[in-house]
Amino acid sequence: MTLRRKMLRDMRANAGSYLACLALVVIGVVAFLSFSIARDNMVLSKESLYREENFADGFAELAAMPEHRLRKIRRMAGIRQASGRLIRDVQVHDPEREASVYLRLVSLDLEETDRLNDVRLLEGEPLSDKEMRCWIDGQFFEANRLELDQELEIIAGGRTRELVVSGVGICPEFVYPLRTESEIYVNPEQFGVAFLPDKIMWSLFPEMDRAFNSLAFSLEDGAEFQDVKEELEIELERYGVIEVYPREDQTSHFILTEEIEVIGTMATFFPVMILSIAAFIIYIVLKRLVEQQRGQIGILKAFGYSSRAILLHYFSYSLTLALIGGAAGGLIGMWLAGPLTDLLYEFFHLPEVYAGFSVRHLLLSLGICLAVLGFGGYHGCKTVLRLEPAEAMRPPAPKGAKKFFLEKIPFFTSILTIQGKMAIRNLFRSRSRTAFVFLGIAVSCAMVAFTWALATESMPKFMFQPYQEVMVYDARVNLENPRPRKAGREELERLAEVARAEPLVEIPVKLIHRWREENVAAIGLLPESRLYNILDKDGNRIVASDDGLILSERLAENLGAAPGSTLELESIFLRDPDRTVKVAVVAVVPQYIGMNAYMGIAGLEDLLRRGEFATAFLVETAPGPGTVRDRVAGLRERYRESDFVAGVDEREDLVALMEEQWETAGWVINLYVLIGVIFSFSIIYVSSLIVLSERNRELASLRVLGMTSREVFSVITFEQWFLAFFAVIAGLPLARLIMNAFARQWSTDMYAMPAEMSAGSWLAGIAMTVISIWAAQRFTLRKIKRLEIVEALKTGE
Amino acid sequence: MGATLISAEDIKKRYEMGQVHVYALKGVNFTLREKELVVVLGESGSGKTTLVNIVGGMDRPTEGRLHFGQIALHDCDEAALTDYRRNQVGFIFQFYNLMPNLTARENIHLAVEIARDPLNVEELLRQVGLGDRGNHFPSQLSGGEQQRVAIARALAKNPRLLLCDEPTGALDLPTGRQILSLLSEFRDRYGKTVVIITHNTNISRMADRIVYLKDGKVEWVKKNEKPIPAEEVSW
């Protein structure tokens, strides 16, 4: 009881250190719990949707397969269930909207009782084979402020059709619906998914009457996907199979799984780092306290307090912090998990599942805090056990001091003041504290430099480089089917809105290198293309070669290929799709979104043994009255009901979307920078307090000698700046290592995070660290000014 | 005087400092009886503090036998020594050694909380003349007052032996006298055995017996036939 009072007063007397530690504990637990709960919410939500709506194990994309063939597929070994779908992207016509709006129409077999990738109807009415009605995904519905029974004008098969919204739903296949592989963020205002009865779909697209272009299938228990894939590829060959892929490669599932994993990493990486620092601080603080109070420990032992009771007393300092931090962090973390989950549900179309207050999570956060701080605290105060009572009553023998090695250099000695020498010798005397401060400053500097580089270099490059440096067209005219490129180009360039048009071929291919294979889009470009730049590591333009493929880095890595390697290429666009052709790799370039292979358009045509063709045109608008946006709108209007134009995309829309996303991501990254600064400040502040309490008498003696507070202060600051100089130097390569590790961890087949870090970020790291040190030292100076000389010089405590 | 409370036979204490062995006690023999007031005299480095540490159970002799009643202190493990310190010994130090962030009352409570048969805290505070200063922190008390708190704290556990290491060393004469009076008074009132370790020979005039230590050995032990009251001690 009385010892508890002593503890509380001790903590109050040294509140700064304990509060810094407590703040870190709370931040660590908040990060852990909010991310963990958000991840759990996502996992629960995902699993329930997948289970209840029969999410498929595999998918096949094909040109067209007659409906009746589905029966045979369903009977194949290893396949439990198969659903055929017709999937088509169409434009939504809305004269009041400038930007293109697309809907992916997905057919549903209304007679099938347990459809794969079924839709969970959130509101609305069932569909009927006889009406042009659809269910629409919830995010698109909300983002476009639609209402039930509202009519949407879509352009299907070159004609404007009216589609009535009959219901709102979510589907496991489109949790994160992206229109193309070159996008990274969902854009529900401009792209959504609509589900229609298959008979209605066939009426919209008569050329696909009673046929499917997509299969979803689930596997029998114990069946291997690879075996089924091989069988399916043979079976579907005659229907123009493009790709058979497992659930793991399905875009929406892949991104959702990645996101859950990233949140899981955040739930461990940050808390582990923050709590480790908290544990280290409590270790140093308690170690110092035990040394400082050895006389008091002696008294307690002399009274008859057992070593264990005294250990428990000092241990209770860390336990108190753990309990307060764990409880506060737990409650705040649980509370913050809600908004964080909301944020995720804005991107992912999932049923909204929220874990409310949970005793389990609260106990978990308490348990983690007790374990981490208990570990640090125990090691900090375990010397209590070793201290003999009689020994404890005596002041500790003074630590040995000697000249440090640099003092052998006369020049170095001559430039140091007495305070400087004291400071430096002290660094060598208290090695563990020196190591702590050194490590702390190095890590802080690295954290700030890393987060700064992430915020100002890597993330902007990742998000904007593809749309500002690579794809520099004003608009992209996508074709329904491949068309002759020369004629198409001439037609476009005759239009008033168009200054330049470049054909582009984008076709699905399978690339094979030894035993490795990847399904990607091959892109054919004009060698003289000005609207689509292939850039090397240094940002220099590379000409699309007619002699071979240029691979994106990730693709080359996955294939184990390098310039000079020969790949085999398969594609339904080959004149003879049953054959494979060989093609050389001529270069490898960085690419941040998606994986692609590039080639000169004529070279690609030759490779495929086809005549000239294009699947899209890139357009630079002509200068003239109005904005680029107006000219693109004019172009879009021209092709609104065209039979061969699937849509006109404006690059500016993508940049605007990225900017919008960047605003959301920006505050999170700024938060990371702030955490880096708080780290730095806490470590320096705690180390200053320790130095101050450790050398109270020594510093007071200097004051008695006639030194001013500032002169005394300079002993401490010199020590810190000297150490900081070397720690900052060590922090910079550490920042580079963290950045490389982060980029590697974050990169997937869909995204590659550039590990950018320039001198600017390093300078920011140094500057922030210096500011943190300076700010922490101001607090120390205040304490020095308040130093009671007489009190400090009194013998005993 | 009562029965033997402490008996020490050929107590030696050796400290090892690297290659060098230093003997702080070189074979000390003496006894302490119940309810007597003994002054252990000796100059700096004579081994006084080492002896008080060993008798108080804070340290172990390297050689020799030390008994507290039937308890063989030289054979005790850490737990038994802790129990001994907890229930049988009260310490008073030259520099008071109070917990700086506990009030006078709380400092005494600290001892009471672990004692088997403690004395009343308020009563003790009154007896040491600090009935109205119980809520003051050590920094708000004079040296004499702090030492009085230390005495109350040592007595609070109701130990049989009070070990006082230079209890007046940091005090002026009038305050030192007050402290000695208190010790003497408590010996009389509560029947404690009081051992005062000091280099101040004048204090020995109030003792029942005087033990003189020199160079780690008992040079002589003398019975004081006419102890004077503490109030008359002067230096």
Side-chain angles (χ1 to χ4, degrees), chain A residues 487-659:
Chain A
R489 184 179 190 184
E490 280 166 17
E491 181 188 321
L492 276 167
E493 285 185 341
R494 276 199 297 272
L495 300 177
E497 296 91 349
V498 178
R500 180 181 171 85
E502 289 180 6
L504 175 136
V505 164
E506 186 168 353
I507 53 162
V509 296
K510 183 193 276 185
L511 296 176
I512 305 159
H513 185 235
R514 298 185 185 135
W515 63 93
R516 295 168 174 168
E517 56 179 56
E518 284 291 337
N519 284 293
V520 293
I523 294 177
L525 298 167
L526 290 178
E528 71 274 16
S529 173
R530 291 208 315 248
L531 305 180
Y532 198 120
N533 298 316
I534 306 171
L535 303 174
D536 69 8
K537 265 198 178 73
D538 304 320
N540 302 317
R541 203 173 159 272
I542 292 186
V543 175
S545 164
D546 285 337
D547 302 325
L549 290 173
I550 298 168
L551 304 185
S552 64
E553 274 174 355
R554 182 82 178 188
L555 178 58
E557 195 183 311
N558 287 0
L559 288 171
S565 304
T566 301
L567 309 181
E568 285 179 72
L569 182 147
E570 286 177 12
S571 174
I572 54 162
F573 280 82
L574 268 167
R575 176 165 290 278
D576 179 1
D578 295 343
R579 288 188 48 203
T580 59
V581 290
K582 290 198 187 315
V583 58
V585 176
V586 293
V588 172
V589 293
Q591 181 173 327
Y592 307 131
I593 301 173
M595 294 192 297
N596 290 104
Y598 300 90
M599 201 170 174
I601 196 163
L604 190 58
E605 286 160 355
D606 287 348
L607 192 72
L608 300 170
R609 297 189 173 80
R610 291 177 68 114
E612 47 118 19
F613 77 107
T615 58
F617 286 93
L618 309 177
V619 170
E620 181 185 10
T621 56
T627 61
V628 170
R629 184 153 281 217
D630 295 335
R631 292 190 284 277
V632 175
L635 199 59
R636 189 176 292 132
E637 191 51 35
R638 276 182 196 275
Y639 291 108
R640 190 159 72 83
E641 291 198 11
S642 159
D643 279 347
F644 54 86
V645 172
V648 178
D649 295 339
E650 191 179 348
R651 185 181 57 103
E652 210 42 51
D653 286 343
L654 289 171
V655 175
L657 175 67
M658 284 296 167
E659 276 166 357

Side-chain angles (χ1 to χ4, degrees), chain A residues 237-238 248 288 341 381 391 417 427 437 533 584 712 719:
Chain A
E237 202 168 347
R238 76 193 88 160
E248 289 68 42
R288 188 58 230 135
T341 311
C381 59
E391 181 196 342
T417 58
L427 287 177
V437 178
N533 298 316
V712 173
E719 192 175 312

Side-chain angles (χ1 to χ4, degrees), chain A residues 10 61 96 148 160 307 388 409 447 470 670 764:
Chain A
D10 276 347
E61 283 175 24
E96 289 172 18
L148 291 179
T160 305
S307 295
E388 290 292 331
I409 306 165
M447 276 292 293
V470 176
N670 288 337

Side-chain angles (χ1 to χ4, degrees), chain A residues 680-689 713 717 720 769-782:
Chain A
S680 189
F681 180 82
S682 311
I683 288 164
I684 301 291
Y685 180 56
V686 169
S687 83
S688 302
L689 290 181
F713 177 58
T717 53
Q720 287 177 341
T769 310
V770 166
I771 291 170
S772 301
I773 296 174
W774 182 85
Q777 286 177 349
R778 296 307 102 188
F779 283 90
T780 317
L781 179 61
R782 266 177 48 198

